[in-house]
Amino acid sequence: MFKPSSFAPAALIAALVAAPGFAQEKQGSQPKAPLRYQDWFKDTALRIELDHIGTRGFEKFALKRLVEEPIWPGARVHLVDPTGYGKYRFQVFDKAGKELIYSRGYCTLFGEWLTTREAASGMVRSMPEPLRMPMPRAPVTLEIAVRDDKTGDFQPIQSLDIDPTAYNVHRHAPAWEVEALHGEGLPVDRTVDIVIVPDGYTRAEEQKMLADARRFAAVLLGHAPFDRHKEEIAVRLVKAFSEESGPDEPRKGLFRDTAVHTTFDTFGSPRYLTTYDMEALRHTSAAAPYDTIIVMVNTNRYGGGGIYNWYSIFPSDSEYDEYVLLHEFGHGFGALGDEYFASATGYDEDAFYVTGVEPWEPNLTIKKTREEIKWGHLIAADTPIPTPDEPEFDDAVGLFEGGGYKAKGIYRPTRDSKMFHKGMLPFGPVNEAAIERVIHYLVGKEVAR
Ligand SMILES: [Zn+2]
């Protein structure tokens, strides 16, 4: 059960706790028989547009509207998310029978903001949080949960009743043209559908937009593990134009009118390139069938951002642009954590990874025995645990101290990787296996532990 902390403004809590449905949280139940997609869902998608509001220790969701998208391109075999990835999770229950019929883990920019010192000061903020699922045939109950700070286990925040048969479910599609870059014609329900959304490209920059998108699609498809799955991946570009060129750069006083409102200087960090406007991003992305969103920002400034099952954002013309694309996609698609620990971030690092709590990311751990380490089965018998930070272990999977912005107490699987240093290093065996779990989940193959 969720408990408001002393950070929460008392009047706000009183108003929201009094709202109907707040106390009606229930435990998740396991389905009795294998779920069949057609029994529960139509071929379209449902976008549930929420606002996420709160501060550290207090979170709440407000329903804005429901939107029907023309096609559900996501998982149809694994309706209940088998990965366990994400800080948040939403579960969907059939309202009549209370059966769990769909779930998905995810992270958000709001969830990251909660780890900043601004949130620790008690400031209350809100950000758009549109969730997506296959269109249910009948009314459902949506239950959103967040990981508990002290245990890492999911705790319910709130339940909302959703009626997909209501007269006011919106059905307006974006008018942007879509350019197929790879894998057009593959069945969308058995394919990882990647949508590239450009930001800060004007109509006069259309040829640059197309050239950039083709270049970066080739980079992604040429890199392990994606190069091994080219027949299961489709890449499409939504030709969304911006009125002005480039993203926002608030510390330079530069604010531009762009398609999905990307910005540098997020949480005070100059290189943190994100968008707060997830509503515009989901709307724009819906021009194409998609499982994961990559935002390509027309800028030569260094920066990026990747949030699991939310978005991966990179700059088109920075010295490290190809590295940033792959690193951020490691976060946004593969649920990987940062393995570095020496650079400053905008976070309160003790809030991001709480001491003594096992990180949920597949490439970070606090465990120190082969049996307990998530990737223990990939560590060779003659590799010492913990593994010394020495060149002789450059190619080994092991247990290397330092990761998740902390030099001590958190461990990473390889001495170096794309999640650690700038440059075109490989992801490494553990990170590639984590990414392949998501690929297998989305295309309906068996998902390894
Ligand atoms: Zn990172």
Side-chain angles (χ1 to χ4, degrees):
M1 180 67 192
F2 164 83
K3 291 186 187 64
S5 83
S6 57
F7 289 122
L12 178 65
I13 290 172
L16 291 172
V17 169
F22 184 81
Q24 297 169 10
E25 290 155 357
K26 61 180 177 297
Q27 296 302 310
S29 57
Q30 290 302 311
K32 294 142 204 107
L35 291 166
R36 287 194 317 175
Y37 184 92
Q38 292 299 336
D39 291 347
W40 299 101
F41 302 106
K42 300 180 184 178
D43 289 329
T44 58
L46 175 64
R47 190 162 87 230
I48 304 167
E49 295 197 339
L50 306 168
D51 274 335
H52 195 163
I53 182 170
T55 187
R56 194 177 298 178
F58 174 72
E59 296 176 68
K60 193 72 182 167
F61 297 90
L63 179 62
K64 292 179 79 173
R65 65 175 181 175
L66 304 177
V67 181
E68 183 171 22
E69 297 180 5
I71 189 162
W72 170 250
R76 293 196 182 206
V77 173
H78 301 293
L79 292 171
V80 175
D81 186 344
T83 64
Y85 298 158
K87 172 174 175 169
Y88 293 91
R89 179 186 69 191
F90 70 93
Q91 292 181 310
V92 179
F93 298 88
D94 165 55
K95 199 178 171 196
K98 311 293 183 209
E99 184 167 349
L100 176 64
I101 58 172
Y102 185 81
S103 73
R104 190 78 209 260
Y106 68 109
C107 296
T108 62
L109 187 63
F110 190 87
E112 292 193 0
W113 175 75
L114 289 173
T115 71
T116 63
R117 290 172 191 90
E118 186 177 76
S121 77
M123 179 187 279
V124 176
R125 291 192 70 160
S126 74
M127 293 183 204
E129 188 157 321
L131 304 177
R132 241 163 119 249
M133 60 175 292
M135 176 59 85
R137 293 184 181 279
V140 293
T141 302
L142 174 72
E143 183 176 284
I144 305 171
V146 63
R147 290 186 190 273
D148 182 87
D149 282 348
K150 294 183 182 62
T151 65
D153 297 331
F154 282 117
Q155 294 293 330
I157 301 174
Q158 189 177 339
S159 293
L160 299 105
D161 286 341
I162 303 291
D163 183 359
T165 65
Y167 73 94
N168 57 354
V169 176
H170 290 240
R171 290 181 185 86
H172 59 283
W176 302 118
E177 285 177 28
V178 175
E179 181 88 6
L181 302 175
H182 175 82
E184 193 63 13
L186 294 171
V188 292
D189 60 323
R190 277 174 281 142
T191 303
V192 175
D193 296 285
I194 299 170
V195 64
I196 298 177
V197 175
D199 200 42
Y201 289 81
T202 64
R203 283 185 188 275
E205 294 171 301
E206 180 175 1
Q207 291 312 310
K208 179 178 189 299
M209 177 200 286
L210 283 164
D212 287 351
R214 289 191 185 113
R215 174 162 75 96
F216 290 109
V219 167
L220 188 68
L221 291 164
H223 208 86
F226 307 105
D227 57 354
R228 299 196 288 269
H229 297 272
K230 280 184 195 163
E231 309 306 313
E232 297 172 302
I233 297 175
V235 186
R236 298 177 183 86
L237 169 74
V238 174
K239 289 167 69 176
F241 296 105
S242 297
E243 293 301 314
E244 294 180 277
S245 188
D248 285 358
E249 301 179 67
R251 286 202 187 277
K252 295 183 182 172
L254 299 172
F255 295 90
R256 283 133 175 169
D257 184 358
T258 68
V260 297
H261 308 125
T262 52
T263 179
F264 281 100
D265 303 328
T266 305
F267 307 153
S269 171
R271 68 175 192 270
Y272 198 17
L273 175 61
T274 70
T275 176
Y276 289 73
D277 197 345
M278 196 59 186
E279 221 163 84
L281 183 54
R282 286 269 196 221
H283 175 71
T284 307
S285 302
Y290 75 93
D291 295 303
T292 187
I293 302 170
I294 294 178
V295 184
M296 179 177 76
V297 183
N298 189 22
T299 180
N300 58 16
R301 179 170 161 183
Y302 174 70
I307 300 175
Y308 173 59
N309 194 16
W310 209 234
Y311 50 61
S312 311
I313 301 187
F314 75 101
S316 62
D317 297 281
S318 142
E319 183 186 355
Y320 293 103
D321 48 21
E322 296 180 4
Y323 150 78
V324 177
L325 163 66
L326 291 160
H327 175 95
E328 303 305 349
F329 200 60
H331 290 305
F333 182 77
L336 302 172
D338 277 316
E339 295 176 6
Y340 58 80
F341 47 87
S343 320
T345 66
Y347 312 126
D348 173 353
E349 279 108 27
D350 288 325
F352 208 98
Y353 291 110
V354 177
T355 302
V357 177
E358 173 72 359
W360 57 263
E361 287 89 342
N363 62 332
L364 298 174
T365 189
I366 62 169
K367 308 289 186 185
K368 284 181 275 190
T369 66
R370 194 180 299 271
E371 295 68 35
E372 289 183 298
I373 298 165
K374 280 173 257 197
W375 57 86
H377 57 293
L378 295 174
I379 304 176
D382 59 351
T383 301
I385 296 175
T387 313
D389 188 18
E390 304 286 347
E392 72 170 290
F393 298 107
D394 273 353
D395 298 324
V397 172
L399 188 75
F400 295 85
E401 188 156 30
Y405 322 121
K406 288 182 169 179
K408 294 282 171 197
I410 295 190
Y411 298 84
R412 63 188 192 278
T414 52
R415 191 161 180 244
D416 206 346
S417 90
K418 195 177 301 302
M419 301 314 289
F420 191 14
H421 272 124
K422 262 191 230 172
M424 294 307 273
L425 294 160
F427 277 107
V430 172
N431 294 347
E432 289 180 21
I435 291 168
E436 286 182 315
R437 294 186 80 219
V438 180
I439 294 174
H440 291 162
Y441 162 38
L442 293 174
V443 305
K445 289 184 175 172
E446 191 179 337
V447 178
R449 83 169 180 90

